[in-house]
Amino acid sequence: MSSLYFDSAATTPPSFSSINAYNEALKYFENPSSAYDNAKKVKVLLEEARLRCASSLSLSKEEAHHLFFTSCATESNSIVLQSVIRNYKTGRVIITNGEHPSVKNNSFILKRCGFEVISLPSKNGFVNPLDLEKALTPNTVLVSIIYVNNVIGTKNDISSLASLVKNYAKSISKNITFHTDCVQAIGKTEFSLNEFTTSGVNAATFSSHKFYAPRGCGILYSNSDNIRALSEGGGQENGRRGGTENVAAIYAASIALEEEQKLIKNHIKTISLLKDEFLKKISTLPFITVLTPKENSVPSIISISLKKMPGEITVRSLSKSGISIGTTSACSANAKKNEKNILQDMGFSPSNAESAIRISFSPLNTIEDVNTLALELEKFYNTYK
Ligand code: PLP
């Protein structure tokens, strides 16, 4: 049985060059914090990777020290959210109903610690600037708004939202940290971190395994002293993340990031063709509702709902035909309740939320793959409806 993979929002296969880079870097096994010459070579690799990541994200050489390597985006998001506990005794934290569990669940910790947490509506995946404006108060300390939604692929207008917060903070002469989770952006949409930071973004998070690198490297951008270490240790990563750096994963991530940013225009073209073809094919299937809005969404993710068919059944049945798709998000598959709530929280009906599946394309898919997927969906539905 051939196997077709349509779950690149959950994870991506590492590219050849990132695997080669990983294997090469593994040879430099010494601890980058040690003092002898061989260890210094590892430190050089690490700093080379940091510079490459900075330039790939459109940051200057001088800004490279704002990048901190972690183990994954969940850790990076936890650092950002839990920094609030380390910096303040009270205050308001603003998130949205469209956040990934790694932000949402950290906000529950903040709530338990006595912070006031406001979750803005995210109707169809979009945050309304007026809602943000109304929620800002002089005691607001952190705003965290996801860029590309991992469940339905919508893109928030981060530059406008961040500048709104920046202007408000300036008007009251206070610091408000603005964070955005950019995990689903790299390799899926043209991306310039510089554009975000000039608008007022203070912190942004990324994950290697979402952009064709091996797992094990999260990237945290922070230009704010308010972002503090979650794991205190030997002072690695400029004191922002204790623990010996996973240099092989970091080095491979830097290679994959550079590669993806160079290829992004071509990748978008390929993925858009796949999405258009899929939408054309399913437009003749009356039992399918498309949940992902046409405008302001990435071409890589499309969320659909099959009338009265629980998403989990669709995913399991297609898997038997060798097709891998997601229900909504691989990370929330461990917390089934949350999974449905996120779609309902974003304004979708309980029945659409229950029967949603997430299809995510990569440039490795072909038009034939997409046609097979549409055919198999039709066959499955007609058999089990
Ligand atoms: N944020 C978003 C938007 C995601 O999609 C994911 C993973 O699916 C994460 C954070 C967590 O990433 P990681 O697997 O690197 O912890």
Side-chain angles (χ1 to χ4, degrees):
M1 184 169 60
S2 66
S3 93
L4 299 181
Y5 187 71
F6 293 105
D7 202 17
S8 63
T11 197
T12 52
S15 68
F16 285 119
S17 42
S18 79
I19 294 172
N20 285 342
Y22 188 90
N23 288 333
E24 196 49 38
L26 272 184
K27 293 178 192 156
Y28 298 83
F29 70 90
E30 292 88 352
N31 191 320
S33 300
S34 297
Y36 38 82
D37 284 355
N38 279 350
K40 283 185 192 145
K41 283 186 199 153
V42 188
K43 182 83 178 153
V44 167
L45 271 195
L46 180 63
E47 294 316 315
E48 200 188 292
R50 202 181 312 276
L51 283 174
R52 187 177 294 110
C53 287
S55 122
S56 305
L57 292 170
S58 70
L59 300 176
S60 68
K61 233 175 167 179
E62 290 68 36
E63 290 169 301
H65 71 279
H66 292 315
L67 294 181
F68 305 95
F69 294 116
T70 66
S71 65
C72 61
T74 298
E75 186 189 350
S76 300
N77 285 345
S78 301
I79 291 173
V80 173
L81 273 278
Q82 293 196 41
S83 285
V84 168
I85 305 169
R86 286 163 178 76
N87 286 319
Y88 305 96
K89 289 206 165 65
T90 58
R92 173 177 279 209
V93 171
I94 301 173
I95 64 159
T96 83
N97 285 350
E99 297 307 311
H100 184 268
S102 55
V103 167
K104 199 178 262 182
N105 290 339
N106 271 298
S107 81
F108 298 151
I109 296 177
L110 299 184
K111 216 171 187 173
R112 286 201 294 275
C113 291
F115 292 91
E116 184 190 12
V117 176
I118 305 290
S119 191
L120 301 178
S122 179
K123 181 100 180 114
N124 294 332
F126 299 112
V127 173
N128 184 336
L130 290 177
D131 289 331
L132 175 58
E133 206 168 351
K134 274 190 235 153
L136 288 168
T137 51
N139 66 341
T140 303
V141 292
L142 172 72
V143 176
S144 180
I145 299 181
I146 193 166
Y147 179 31
V148 176
N149 182 278
N150 55 299
V151 179
I152 56 169
T154 42
K155 281 199 290 189
N156 274 313
D157 182 355
I158 292 299
S159 293
S160 304
L161 297 166
S163 58
L164 197 157
V165 173
K166 186 174 156 182
N167 291 338
Y168 175 78
K170 202 168 160 198
S171 73
I172 56 165
S173 305
K174 287 243 170 110
N175 273 333
I176 302 177
T177 305
F178 190 102
H179 164 246
T180 179
D181 175 338
C182 296
V183 167
Q184 294 290 344
I186 305 297
K188 335 278 177 182
T189 187
E190 287 189 53
F191 183 81
S192 155
L193 186 52
N194 180 48
E195 204 178 299
F196 280 2
T197 57
T198 47
S199 307
V201 167
N202 308 111
T205 38
F206 308 88
S207 178
S208 62
H209 72 99
K210 308 287 184 178
F211 54 79
Y212 307 92
R215 252 154 266 179
C217 172
I219 304 173
L220 163 64
Y221 167 85
S222 160
N223 63 16
S224 160
D225 290 341
N226 282 344
I227 305 297
R228 308 252 297 265
L230 187 61
S231 53
E232 293 291 348
Q236 293 93 341
E237 295 301 291
N238 240 334
R240 301 297 175 94
R241 198 266 183 178
T244 304
E245 295 91 342
N246 184 350
V247 178
I250 292 167
Y251 194 72
S254 75
I255 296 290
L257 180 59
E258 183 177 64
E259 193 170 55
E260 272 313 298
Q261 291 288 71
K262 274 189 187 147
L263 296 173
I264 188 63
K265 280 199 168 74
N266 281 339
H267 281 182
I268 290 177
K269 251 189 228 160
T270 310
I271 300 172
S272 301
L273 284 177
L274 297 171
K275 184 177 180 179
D276 290 348
E277 176 71 13
F278 183 66
L279 285 173
K280 196 170 94 194
K281 282 276 152 24
I282 61 168
S283 66
T284 58
L285 306 176
F287 58 89
I288 289 183
T289 305
V290 177
L291 306 182
T292 299
K294 275 199 188 87
E295 303 297 324
N296 299 321
S297 55
V298 289
S300 56
I301 296 178
I302 177 146
S303 179
I304 61 174
S305 166
L306 277 64
K307 198 171 179 188
K308 292 190 178 155
M309 185 64 75
E312 282 147 41
I313 295 189
T314 311
V315 170
R316 286 206 197 120
S317 299
L318 260 70
S319 170
K320 288 195 182 112
S321 312
I323 296 177
S324 305
I325 54 170
T327 40
T328 50
S329 146
C331 301
S332 46
N334 300 324
K336 295 271 168 1
K337 254 188 169 168
N338 273 352
E339 194 178 294
K340 276 165 204 132
N341 285 344
I342 190 164
L343 280 166
Q344 285 182 45
D345 283 352
M346 290 193 291
F348 294 99
S349 69
S351 59
N352 274 339
E354 174 80 23
S355 53
I357 55 170
R358 180 185 71 180
I359 290 151
S360 41
F361 303 111
S362 85
L364 301 169
N365 297 126
T366 64
I367 294 283
E368 291 75 46
D369 295 347
V370 164
N371 286 333
T372 307
L373 171 63
L375 255 170
E376 288 295 328
L377 274 173
E378 186 176 14
K379 230 165 58 187
F380 152 74
Y381 192 80
N382 288 333
T383 311
Y384 291 100
K385 71 180 174 198

Short mmCIF file of all heavy atoms in Angstrom, two decimals, residues 28-77:
data_model
loop_
_atom_site.label_atom_id
_atom_site.label_comp_id
_atom_site.label_asym_id
_atom_site.label_seq_id
_atom_site.Cartn_x
_atom_site.Cartn_y
_atom_site.Cartn_z
N TYR A 28 30.89 16.87 16.16
CA TYR A 28 31.41 17.84 17.13
C TYR A 28 30.63 17.65 18.42
O TYR A 28 29.70 18.40 18.72
CB TYR A 28 31.24 19.26 16.59
CG TYR A 28 32.01 19.51 15.32
CD1 TYR A 28 31.49 19.13 14.08
CD2 TYR A 28 33.27 20.10 15.35
CE1 TYR A 28 32.21 19.33 12.91
CE2 TYR A 28 33.99 20.31 14.19
CZ TYR A 28 33.45 19.92 12.97
OH TYR A 28 34.17 20.12 11.83
N PHE A 29 31.01 16.61 19.17
CA PHE A 29 30.17 16.19 20.30
C PHE A 29 30.46 16.95 21.59
O PHE A 29 29.71 16.88 22.54
CB PHE A 29 30.35 14.68 20.54
CG PHE A 29 31.71 14.35 21.08
CD1 PHE A 29 31.92 14.32 22.46
CD2 PHE A 29 32.79 14.11 20.24
CE1 PHE A 29 33.19 14.04 22.97
CE2 PHE A 29 34.04 13.83 20.75
CZ PHE A 29 34.24 13.80 22.11
N GLU A 30 31.58 17.67 21.60
CA GLU A 30 31.99 18.29 22.87
C GLU A 30 30.96 19.33 23.33
O GLU A 30 30.18 19.83 22.55
CB GLU A 30 33.37 18.96 22.73
CG GLU A 30 34.52 17.98 22.53
CD GLU A 30 34.76 17.64 21.06
OE1 GLU A 30 33.96 18.04 20.20
OE2 GLU A 30 35.76 16.94 20.78
N ASN A 31 31.04 19.61 24.63
CA ASN A 31 30.10 20.58 25.21
C ASN A 31 30.52 22.00 24.81
O ASN A 31 31.65 22.42 25.11
CB ASN A 31 30.10 20.43 26.75
CG ASN A 31 28.98 21.21 27.39
OD1 ASN A 31 28.67 22.32 26.97
ND2 ASN A 31 28.36 20.62 28.39
N PRO A 32 29.64 22.77 24.16
CA PRO A 32 30.06 24.10 23.70
C PRO A 32 30.48 25.05 24.82
O PRO A 32 31.12 26.07 24.56
CB PRO A 32 28.81 24.63 22.96
CG PRO A 32 27.68 23.78 23.39
CD PRO A 32 28.25 22.46 23.80
N SER A 33 30.13 24.72 26.07
CA SER A 33 30.52 25.61 27.19
C SER A 33 31.89 25.26 27.75
O SER A 33 32.39 25.97 28.63
CB SER A 33 29.49 25.54 28.32
OG SER A 33 28.24 25.94 27.85
N SER A 34 32.49 24.13 27.30
CA SER A 34 33.80 23.76 27.84
C SER A 34 34.90 24.68 27.30
O SER A 34 34.70 25.36 26.27
CB SER A 34 34.12 22.31 27.49
OG SER A 34 33.17 21.46 28.10
N ALA A 35 36.05 24.65 27.99
CA ALA A 35 37.06 25.67 27.70
C ALA A 35 38.11 25.25 26.67
O ALA A 35 38.81 26.10 26.13
CB ALA A 35 37.76 26.07 29.00
N TYR A 36 38.25 23.94 26.39
CA TYR A 36 39.32 23.51 25.49
C TYR A 36 38.98 23.77 24.01
O TYR A 36 37.81 24.02 23.67
CB TYR A 36 39.68 22.04 25.72
CG TYR A 36 38.48 21.17 26.02
CD1 TYR A 36 37.69 20.68 24.99
CD2 TYR A 36 38.12 20.89 27.33
CE1 TYR A 36 36.58 19.91 25.27
CE2 TYR A 36 37.01 20.11 27.61
CZ TYR A 36 36.25 19.63 26.57
OH TYR A 36 35.15 18.88 26.85
N ASP A 37 40.01 23.64 23.18
CA ASP A 37 39.86 24.04 21.78
C ASP A 37 38.76 23.30 21.03
O ASP A 37 38.01 23.91 20.27
CB ASP A 37 41.20 23.87 21.03
CG ASP A 37 42.16 24.99 21.41
OD1 ASP A 37 41.71 25.91 22.15
OD2 ASP A 37 43.32 24.95 20.99
N ASN A 38 38.67 21.97 21.23
CA ASN A 38 37.65 21.21 20.49
C ASN A 38 36.24 21.69 20.84
O ASN A 38 35.34 21.69 20.00
CB ASN A 38 37.78 19.71 20.75
CG ASN A 38 38.88 19.11 19.89
OD1 ASN A 38 39.39 19.78 18.99
ND2 ASN A 38 39.25 17.88 20.17
N ALA A 39 36.05 22.07 22.09
CA ALA A 39 34.73 22.57 22.51
C ALA A 39 34.47 23.93 21.89
O ALA A 39 33.33 24.28 21.55
CB ALA A 39 34.68 22.66 24.03
N LYS A 40 35.55 24.69 21.72
CA LYS A 40 35.37 26.03 21.11
C LYS A 40 34.86 25.91 19.68
O LYS A 40 34.11 26.74 19.20
CB LYS A 40 36.69 26.81 21.17
CG LYS A 40 36.95 27.37 22.55
CD LYS A 40 38.17 28.24 22.58
CE LYS A 40 38.55 28.51 24.04
NZ LYS A 40 39.99 28.59 24.22
N LYS A 41 35.28 24.81 19.01
CA LYS A 41 34.81 24.58 17.64
C LYS A 41 33.29 24.37 17.64
O LYS A 41 32.58 24.77 16.73
CB LYS A 41 35.49 23.34 17.04
CG LYS A 41 36.90 23.57 16.61
CD LYS A 41 37.44 22.32 15.90
CE LYS A 41 38.95 22.36 15.88
NZ LYS A 41 39.55 21.03 15.83
N VAL A 42 32.79 23.72 18.69
CA VAL A 42 31.34 23.47 18.79
C VAL A 42 30.61 24.79 19.03
O VAL A 42 29.55 25.04 18.46
CB VAL A 42 31.03 22.44 19.91
CG1 VAL A 42 29.57 22.04 19.87
CG2 VAL A 42 31.92 21.22 19.79
N LYS A 43 31.24 25.61 19.85
CA LYS A 43 30.67 26.93 20.13
C LYS A 43 30.60 27.76 18.83
O LYS A 43 29.62 28.48 18.59
CB LYS A 43 31.58 27.63 21.17
CG LYS A 43 31.11 28.98 21.60
CD LYS A 43 30.08 28.89 22.69
CE LYS A 43 29.65 30.26 23.15
NZ LYS A 43 28.31 30.27 23.70
N VAL A 44 31.64 27.61 18.00
CA VAL A 44 31.66 28.33 16.73
C VAL A 44 30.47 27.88 15.86
O VAL A 44 29.77 28.69 15.27
CB VAL A 44 33.02 28.12 15.99
CG1 VAL A 44 32.95 28.59 14.54
CG2 VAL A 44 34.13 28.85 16.74
N LEU A 45 30.25 26.54 15.81
CA LEU A 45 29.12 26.00 15.04
C LEU A 45 27.80 26.59 15.53
O LEU A 45 26.93 26.97 14.75
CB LEU A 45 29.02 24.48 15.22
CG LEU A 45 29.77 23.54 14.31
CD1 LEU A 45 29.22 22.13 14.47
CD2 LEU A 45 29.64 23.96 12.85
N LEU A 46 27.68 26.63 16.85
CA LEU A 46 26.46 27.14 17.48
C LEU A 46 26.22 28.60 17.09
O LEU A 46 25.11 28.98 16.70
CB LEU A 46 26.61 27.00 19.01
CG LEU A 46 25.47 27.47 19.89
CD1 LEU A 46 24.22 26.66 19.63
CD2 LEU A 46 25.86 27.31 21.37
N GLU A 47 27.27 29.39 17.15
CA GLU A 47 27.11 30.82 16.85
C GLU A 47 26.91 31.06 15.35
O GLU A 47 26.20 31.97 14.94
CB GLU A 47 28.29 31.63 17.40
CG GLU A 47 28.36 31.63 18.92
CD GLU A 47 27.00 31.85 19.62
OE1 GLU A 47 26.25 32.74 19.18
OE2 GLU A 47 26.69 31.11 20.56
N GLU A 48 27.53 30.17 14.56
CA GLU A 48 27.32 30.23 13.11
C GLU A 48 25.84 29.97 12.82
O GLU A 48 25.22 30.64 12.00
CB GLU A 48 28.17 29.12 12.48
CG GLU A 48 28.49 29.27 11.02
CD GLU A 48 29.17 27.99 10.52
OE1 GLU A 48 30.32 27.72 10.96
OE2 GLU A 48 28.55 27.26 9.75
N ALA A 49 25.26 28.99 13.51
CA ALA A 49 23.84 28.65 13.33
C ALA A 49 22.96 29.84 13.73
O ALA A 49 21.98 30.16 13.07
CB ALA A 49 23.48 27.42 14.15
N ARG A 50 23.34 30.51 14.82
CA ARG A 50 22.54 31.66 15.30
C ARG A 50 22.54 32.78 14.23
O ARG A 50 21.50 33.35 13.93
CB ARG A 50 23.12 32.19 16.62
CG ARG A 50 22.11 32.98 17.46
CD ARG A 50 22.72 33.51 18.76
NE ARG A 50 23.47 32.55 19.53
CZ ARG A 50 22.93 31.69 20.40
NH1 ARG A 50 21.64 31.70 20.62
NH2 ARG A 50 23.70 30.84 21.06
N LEU A 51 23.74 33.03 13.67
CA LEU A 51 23.83 34.08 12.65
C LEU A 51 23.03 33.71 11.41
O LEU A 51 22.36 34.55 10.81
CB LEU A 51 25.30 34.30 12.25
CG LEU A 51 26.15 35.10 13.23
CD1 LEU A 51 27.61 35.11 12.78
CD2 LEU A 51 25.64 36.55 13.33
N ARG A 52 23.09 32.41 11.04
CA ARG A 52 22.35 31.97 9.85
C ARG A 52 20.85 32.11 10.09
O ARG A 52 20.10 32.55 9.21
CB ARG A 52 22.71 30.52 9.52
CG ARG A 52 22.11 30.06 8.19
CD ARG A 52 22.51 28.64 7.80
NE ARG A 52 23.91 28.50 7.52
CZ ARG A 52 24.77 27.84 8.30
NH1 ARG A 52 24.35 27.23 9.39
NH2 ARG A 52 26.04 27.77 7.99
N CYS A 53 20.40 31.75 11.29
CA CYS A 53 18.97 31.89 11.61
C CYS A 53 18.57 33.36 11.56
O CYS A 53 17.51 33.71 11.03
CB CYS A 53 18.65 31.31 12.99
SG CYS A 53 18.69 29.52 13.03
N ALA A 54 19.42 34.22 12.14
CA ALA A 54 19.10 35.65 12.16
C ALA A 54 18.94 36.17 10.74
O ALA A 54 17.94 36.80 10.40
CB ALA A 54 20.19 36.42 12.90
N SER A 55 19.91 35.87 9.89
CA SER A 55 19.85 36.42 8.54
C SER A 55 18.66 35.80 7.78
O SER A 55 17.98 36.50 7.02
CB SER A 55 21.20 36.23 7.85
OG SER A 55 21.10 35.51 6.69
N SER A 56 18.35 34.53 8.02
CA SER A 56 17.20 33.90 7.33
C SER A 56 15.88 34.51 7.78
O SER A 56 14.90 34.51 7.04
CB SER A 56 17.17 32.40 7.60
OG SER A 56 18.39 31.82 7.24
N LEU A 57 15.86 35.01 9.01
CA LEU A 57 14.62 35.62 9.51
C LEU A 57 14.59 37.13 9.25
O LEU A 57 13.74 37.83 9.77
CB LEU A 57 14.48 35.34 11.01
CG LEU A 57 14.23 33.88 11.41
CD1 LEU A 57 14.34 33.69 12.92
CD2 LEU A 57 12.87 33.41 10.92
N SER A 58 15.58 37.61 8.49
CA SER A 58 15.71 39.02 8.10
C SER A 58 16.14 39.93 9.25
O SER A 58 15.83 41.12 9.26
CB SER A 58 14.42 39.56 7.45
OG SER A 58 13.40 39.66 8.41
N LEU A 59 16.85 39.36 10.21
CA LEU A 59 17.42 40.18 11.29
C LEU A 59 18.86 40.53 10.92
O LEU A 59 19.50 39.80 10.15
CB LEU A 59 17.43 39.41 12.61
CG LEU A 59 16.09 38.94 13.17
CD1 LEU A 59 16.30 38.12 14.43
CD2 LEU A 59 15.17 40.12 13.46
N SER A 60 19.38 41.61 11.49
CA SER A 60 20.77 41.97 11.22
C SER A 60 21.69 41.11 12.09
O SER A 60 21.24 40.49 13.04
CB SER A 60 20.99 43.45 11.54
OG SER A 60 20.88 43.62 12.94
N LYS A 61 22.99 41.13 11.73
CA LYS A 61 24.01 40.41 12.50
C LYS A 61 23.94 40.84 13.97
O LYS A 61 24.07 40.02 14.89
CB LYS A 61 25.37 40.82 11.94
CG LYS A 61 26.26 39.70 11.54
CD LYS A 61 27.47 40.33 10.91
CE LYS A 61 28.58 39.36 10.72
NZ LYS A 61 29.73 39.97 10.09
N GLU A 62 23.77 42.15 14.16
CA GLU A 62 23.77 42.71 15.53
C GLU A 62 22.57 42.23 16.33
O GLU A 62 22.57 42.27 17.56
CB GLU A 62 23.75 44.25 15.48
CG GLU A 62 25.03 44.90 14.99
CD GLU A 62 25.31 44.63 13.52
OE1 GLU A 62 24.34 44.58 12.73
OE2 GLU A 62 26.49 44.43 13.17
N GLU A 63 21.51 41.79 15.62
CA GLU A 63 20.31 41.34 16.34
C GLU A 63 20.34 39.84 16.63
O GLU A 63 19.41 39.31 17.25
CB GLU A 63 19.06 41.65 15.51
CG GLU A 63 18.74 43.14 15.43
CD GLU A 63 17.66 43.40 14.40
OE1 GLU A 63 17.86 43.05 13.21
OE2 GLU A 63 16.62 43.96 14.77
N ALA A 64 21.38 39.14 16.14
CA ALA A 64 21.41 37.67 16.30
C ALA A 64 21.35 37.27 17.77
O ALA A 64 20.83 36.20 18.11
CB ALA A 64 22.67 37.11 15.64
N HIS A 65 21.87 38.14 18.66
CA HIS A 65 21.86 37.76 20.08
C HIS A 65 20.45 37.80 20.68
O HIS A 65 20.26 37.43 21.83
CB HIS A 65 22.84 38.65 20.88
CG HIS A 65 22.35 40.06 21.03
ND1 HIS A 65 22.51 41.00 20.03
CD2 HIS A 65 21.71 40.69 22.03
CE1 HIS A 65 21.98 42.14 20.42
NE2 HIS A 65 21.48 41.98 21.64
N HIS A 66 19.48 38.24 19.89
CA HIS A 66 18.09 38.17 20.35
C HIS A 66 17.46 36.80 20.10
O HIS A 66 16.30 36.58 20.42
CB HIS A 66 17.22 39.23 19.65
CG HIS A 66 17.55 40.64 20.03
ND1 HIS A 66 17.75 41.02 21.33
CD2 HIS A 66 17.70 41.76 19.29
CE1 HIS A 66 18.03 42.32 21.37
NE2 HIS A 66 18.00 42.79 20.14
N LEU A 67 18.22 35.90 19.46
CA LEU A 67 17.70 34.55 19.20
C LEU A 67 18.23 33.59 20.26
O LEU A 67 19.44 33.56 20.52
CB LEU A 67 18.10 34.06 17.81
CG LEU A 67 17.53 34.81 16.61
CD1 LEU A 67 18.02 34.18 15.31
CD2 LEU A 67 15.99 34.82 16.64
N PHE A 68 17.34 32.80 20.83
CA PHE A 68 17.72 31.83 21.88
C PHE A 68 17.23 30.46 21.44
O PHE A 68 16.08 30.33 21.01
CB PHE A 68 17.08 32.22 23.22
CG PHE A 68 17.43 33.63 23.62
CD1 PHE A 68 16.57 34.68 23.33
CD2 PHE A 68 18.63 33.91 24.24
CE1 PHE A 68 16.89 35.99 23.67
CE2 PHE A 68 18.97 35.21 24.59
CZ PHE A 68 18.11 36.25 24.30
N PHE A 69 18.11 29.46 21.56
CA PHE A 69 17.71 28.12 21.15
C PHE A 69 17.14 27.36 22.34
O PHE A 69 17.71 27.38 23.44
CB PHE A 69 18.91 27.37 20.55
CG PHE A 69 19.38 27.99 19.26
CD1 PHE A 69 20.65 28.54 19.15
CD2 PHE A 69 18.53 28.03 18.15
CE1 PHE A 69 21.08 29.12 17.95
CE2 PHE A 69 18.95 28.60 16.95
CZ PHE A 69 20.22 29.15 16.85
N THR A 70 16.02 26.68 22.10
CA THR A 70 15.38 25.85 23.12
C THR A 70 15.20 24.45 22.53
O THR A 70 15.81 24.16 21.49
CB THR A 70 14.01 26.45 23.51
OG1 THR A 70 13.13 26.37 22.37
CG2 THR A 70 14.12 27.91 23.97
N SER A 71 14.34 23.64 23.14
CA SER A 71 14.16 22.29 22.61
C SER A 71 12.99 22.19 21.64
O SER A 71 12.92 21.28 20.83
CB SER A 71 13.94 21.31 23.76
OG SER A 71 12.73 21.63 24.42
N CYS A 72 12.03 23.08 21.75
CA CYS A 72 10.83 23.03 20.91
C CYS A 72 10.03 24.32 21.12
O CYS A 72 10.35 25.11 22.01
CB CYS A 72 9.96 21.82 21.26
SG CYS A 72 9.35 21.84 22.96
N ALA A 73 8.98 24.49 20.33
CA ALA A 73 8.18 25.72 20.47
C ALA A 73 7.35 25.71 21.74
O ALA A 73 7.06 26.77 22.30
CB ALA A 73 7.28 25.89 19.25
N THR A 74 6.98 24.53 22.21
CA THR A 74 6.22 24.47 23.47
C THR A 74 7.06 25.07 24.59
O THR A 74 6.57 25.85 25.41
CB THR A 74 5.85 23.00 23.79
OG1 THR A 74 5.01 22.51 22.75
CG2 THR A 74 5.15 22.88 25.13
N GLU A 75 8.35 24.73 24.59
CA GLU A 75 9.24 25.29 25.62
C GLU A 75 9.38 26.81 25.42
O GLU A 75 9.30 27.58 26.40
CB GLU A 75 10.62 24.62 25.57
CG GLU A 75 11.51 25.09 26.71
CD GLU A 75 12.96 24.64 26.60
OE1 GLU A 75 13.29 23.79 25.75
OE2 GLU A 75 13.77 25.16 27.37
N SER A 76 9.55 27.24 24.18
CA SER A 76 9.70 28.69 23.92
C SER A 76 8.45 29.45 24.36
O SER A 76 8.55 30.50 25.00
CB SER A 76 9.95 28.94 22.43
OG SER A 76 11.11 28.28 22.00
N ASN A 77 7.27 28.91 24.02
CA ASN A 77 6.03 29.58 24.43
C ASN A 77 5.89 29.59 25.96
O ASN A 77 5.43 30.58 26.53
CB ASN A 77 4.81 28.90 23.79
CG ASN A 77 4.69 29.23 22.31
OD1 ASN A 77 5.32 30.16 21.82
ND2 ASN A 77 3.88 28.48 21.59
#
